[in-house]
Amino acid sequence: MPLNPTRRGTRDLVASPQRMHAAVLAGFLPDVADRDRILWRLDNPERHRLDLYVVSPQEPSFEGLADQAGWPAQPTWRTAPYEPLLDSLEAGQQWVFRLRANPVRSMRMGDGERGRRVPISGEENRMDWLLRQGVAHGFTVPSGAHDRPNARVSEERTEQFRRRSGTGTVTLKTVTFDGLLQVTDPVALREALLSGLGPAKGYGCGLVTLARPT
């Protein structure tokens, strides 16, 4: 769904992933099953272009979002069944992918305390996180030039916004990975495409999109 970045409603949503998540969920019936499997991502491929991608178990109806942040004079959103792509996955295939993620690791602060999630810094460490995700979710990232993974961090972002309850501020550090992946386990990759990778899925992370290599 294309959003109009010049509208105030769009800017209000972009300023808070929490508000954007609520706007996306508003496009579904309240009793939709697996609401935690509704994934979304905002892409900003050009200065005056903003694209919303959503993967969900139910077809959405985004009239409210279109009124707030869309282009009134243009077609609002397009949907398509996901099954044909999911069913076409086979071991050995290569796909161009994009993933906005929140790479973190667990750090224990003291004896007996639960581990606290802390952001992973440094491109090499983040790439290691991506490769570990691949091992767990049915894909590898083939080597490219200089025997390095054929992927890169194309965007790094730090966002701060207030919790909906008003009890504090959330700081979210995300990166966007672009690259090439090779399918090793179609079943596991299928589940990753439906359920997302890593934490912060409610804040626009975790959605993997695939495209044919050209």
Side-chain angles (χ1 to χ4, degrees), residues 149-206:
N150 199 342
R152 67 187 179 97
V153 173
S154 59
E155 183 185 36
E156 180 177 351
R157 189 185 307 173
T158 300
E159 299 175 276
Q160 285 190 325
F161 52 95
R162 293 193 62 80
R163 297 182 187 276
R164 188 182 305 175
S165 61
T167 57
T169 300
V170 176
T171 300
L172 182 68
K173 294 190 175 184
T174 67
V175 297
T176 299
F177 294 102
D178 285 292
L180 186 73
L181 65 77
Q182 182 165 321
V183 182
T184 56
D185 184 339
V187 175
L189 180 56
R190 176 190 177 104
E191 180 60 26
L193 294 175
L194 292 172
S195 300
L197 297 183
K201 297 183 182 69
Y203 294 148
C205 296

Side-chain angles (χ1 to χ4, degrees), residues 106-120:
S106 180
M107 176 178 289
R108 181 165 295 179
M109 308 307 294
D111 291 341
E113 295 185 9
R114 293 181 59 186
R116 182 167 63 91
R117 288 177 174 176
V118 296
I120 295 175

Side-chain angles (χ1 to χ4, degrees), residues 20-91:
M20 178 61 76
H21 183 59
V24 170
L25 291 184
F28 298 88
L29 295 173
D31 60 349
V32 63
D34 298 327
R35 291 178 73 84
D36 58 342
R37 290 170 72 95
I38 297 174
L39 306 173
W40 62 273
R41 187 183 77 219
L42 280 176
D43 282 1
N44 190 191
E46 301 171 7
R47 183 178 178 183
H48 297 297
R49 180 179 166 190
L50 195 60
D51 296 329
L52 171 67
Y53 291 91
V54 178
V55 169
S56 60
Q58 181 189 87
E59 187 172 357
S61 183
F62 285 143
E63 284 89 352
L65 184 57
D67 288 343
Q68 180 178 359
W71 295 85
Q74 298 181 14
T76 50
W77 70 90
R78 294 175 296 167
T79 63
Y82 211 16
E83 289 294 334
L85 184 143
L86 298 175
D87 291 343
S88 73
L89 296 175
E90 296 180 0

Side-chain angles (χ1 to χ4, degrees), residues 115-138:
R116 182 167 63 91
R117 288 177 174 176
V118 296
I120 295 175
S121 59
E123 184 163 352
E124 185 173 345
N125 293 332
R126 289 165 174 164
M127 198 61 64
D128 287 342
W129 177 90
L130 175 65
L131 298 180
R132 292 194 300 272
Q133 292 293 313
V135 170
H137 294 97

